[in-house]
Amino acid sequence: MSEQWLETRAPGFRDLPDPDRRAIFDFSFLWSLFEAQIMDNFARADRIRERIDAWAAAGTLEAELYDAELAYFRGRYFADGELTYHFPLLALRPADHPDLVEAVITGANNDPRDRMLALLMIVWRLRNNLFHGAKWAYQIRDQRANFTHANAILMRLLDQHGQLA
């Protein structure tokens, strides 16, 4: 019923292929579970950084497990020696560590803690841009790969650090 409503009323939704819809729907549930299980029901950029710092201190960061996702986002946001037009669309705010994210994306910073923080700041911005409506400006087109990679990050984090039954 809700999908039918979205098809008739949400701009561009009808044209979204099913795999795109699925990735976005999955992201909504995975983010909610991540926020409940890992962020104590309240995610913010500073709290995400605190979690990453705690994992780094405990030796449970395992940033190398996320190399494929990092490679994807590096390719999306940095090409031919320059940031791509996609990078500003993340709309990173000062609290989102934009300089660190840029340094990781360009390869200038490969510190494991910083790589993880950059990845989670990208996922955080995808979340904010989706849930606060910015993605509707272009009818959520061409987002499947973004959300597929974000979903992989969230699932792996939940497996590593969640309190799943």
Side-chain angles (χ1 to χ4, degrees):
M1 178 70 162
S2 61
E3 196 164 349
Q4 197 173 32
W5 186 94
L6 287 166
E7 283 184 5
T8 61
R9 290 174 177 83
F13 187 84
R14 176 180 304 164
D15 300 325
L16 279 179
D18 284 338
D20 293 47
R21 292 179 188 189
R22 181 83 253 158
I24 294 166
F25 288 150
D26 289 352
F27 179 80
S28 298
F29 284 104
L30 287 166
W31 179 267
S32 179
L33 188 57
F34 168 79
E35 193 157 355
Q37 291 285 311
I38 294 179
M39 300 307 303
D40 297 326
N41 299 315
F42 188 59
R44 284 190 331 237
D46 62 329
R47 297 190 77 225
I48 292 170
R49 186 197 68 244
E50 289 168 5
R51 284 286 188 265
I52 290 170
D53 287 344
W55 298 332
T60 61
L61 192 60
E62 299 185 58
E64 68 281 356
L65 295 177
Y66 303 85
D67 285 348
E69 290 77 22
L70 179 59
Y72 165 77
F73 286 117
R74 278 180 167 163
R76 179 169 177 83
Y77 297 121
F78 187 73
D80 301 322
E82 294 184 13
L83 293 171
T84 68
Y85 73 93
H86 294 291
F87 188 76
L89 298 176
L90 283 172
L92 291 162
R93 297 184 175 168
D96 302 332
H97 309 282
D99 294 337
L100 180 141
V101 173
E102 182 175 335
V104 168
I105 289 301
T106 63
N109 180 345
N110 278 307
D111 177 76
R113 177 261 190 195
D114 293 347
R115 291 192 332 251
M116 284 302 299
L117 183 55
L119 281 173
L120 276 221
M121 288 300 101
I122 291 169
V123 173
W124 169 246
R125 291 314 307 164
L126 291 174
R127 175 253 186 230
N128 288 341
N129 293 342
L130 176 67
F131 293 162
H132 296 291
K135 295 260 181 234
W136 285 104
Y138 41 89
Q139 301 164 348
I140 313 182
R141 284 189 309 261
D142 303 319
Q143 296 297 305
R144 181 188 324 163
N146 285 344
F147 286 108
T148 298
H149 286 88
N151 291 346
I153 292 167
L154 293 172
M155 288 185 288
R156 203 166 301 117
L157 284 169
L158 284 159
D159 282 342
Q160 278 184 276
H161 305 288
Q163 295 88 39
L164 303 173

